[in-house]
Amino acid sequence: MTLTEFLLARIAEVESAALSARGPGTGEWSSWSRSWDASATRDLAADGVRIVALPMTIDEHVCRHDPDRVLRRCAADRQIVEMYRLALAEKKSLDFHQQGLVQGWRENGLSTCQLLASIYVEHRDYQQEWKP
């Protein structure tokens, strides 16, 4: 498995989970304090429907990972991987300057993809050679 194959597989897994969590609605998660409750909890809601009451710190974290936001992140990560794949596929040019440019794209793409993969270091398919 290549680094790009590994990343695209992880992106697909995250995207699938986000789509499942999104359900039939818009995928927007929000929270609000319960005015009648003095505790440090908030109600977490998806598409305006209450799901659960959570401690404020957890609630704020969960809301930052609502399905739509996760899907946008997946799309951005996929574009980053695709840019690296395009750089790898670029044919060698006879022009010295173009060769240097393409080499820079490859090196930057590799570094970026290694950083993206580093969050999956515990995954069974992660290869230590991908460490940034």
Side-chain angles (χ1 to χ4, degrees):
M1 175 175 280
T2 67
L3 175 58
T4 57
E5 291 169 339
F6 175 81
L7 283 169
L8 291 173
R10 302 297 72 77
I11 292 167
E13 290 170 356
V14 171
E15 189 173 53
S16 177
L19 288 169
S20 293
R22 184 182 200 190
T26 64
E28 181 183 345
W29 291 8
S30 58
S31 68
W32 61 86
S33 298
R34 296 178 287 166
S35 59
W36 66 90
D37 188 352
S39 67
T41 61
R42 287 190 185 164
D43 284 337
L44 174 66
D47 296 322
V49 178
R50 181 186 180 277
I51 298 173
V52 67
L54 294 170
M56 287 170 121
T57 54
I58 294 172
D59 180 77
E60 289 174 10
H61 177 75
V62 169
C63 284
R64 294 181 193 277
H65 295 85
D66 72 66
D68 280 350
R69 186 175 186 167
V70 171
L71 291 171
R72 289 190 303 271
R73 177 62 189 262
C74 288
D77 287 352
R78 189 175 280 112
Q79 288 178 354
I80 290 168
V81 173
E82 187 56 31
M83 288 171 58
Y84 176 52
R85 287 174 52 160
L86 288 172
L88 290 176
E90 187 69 32
K91 303 269 189 268
K92 285 199 173 192
S93 169
L94 297 176
D95 184 302
F96 175 76
H97 296 291
Q98 288 179 345
Q99 286 179 4
L101 183 62
V102 170
Q103 185 60 31
W105 291 342
R106 289 179 180 149
E107 290 172 5
N108 288 334
L110 174 61
S111 296
T112 303
C113 286
Q114 287 173 325
L115 289 169
L116 289 175
S118 69
I119 65 170
Y120 300 106
V121 70
E122 77 289 344
H123 193 279
R124 70 180 182 280
D125 293 333
Y126 180 85
Q127 296 176 24
Q128 293 303 310
E129 65 202 45
W130 297 336
K131 276 191 172 183

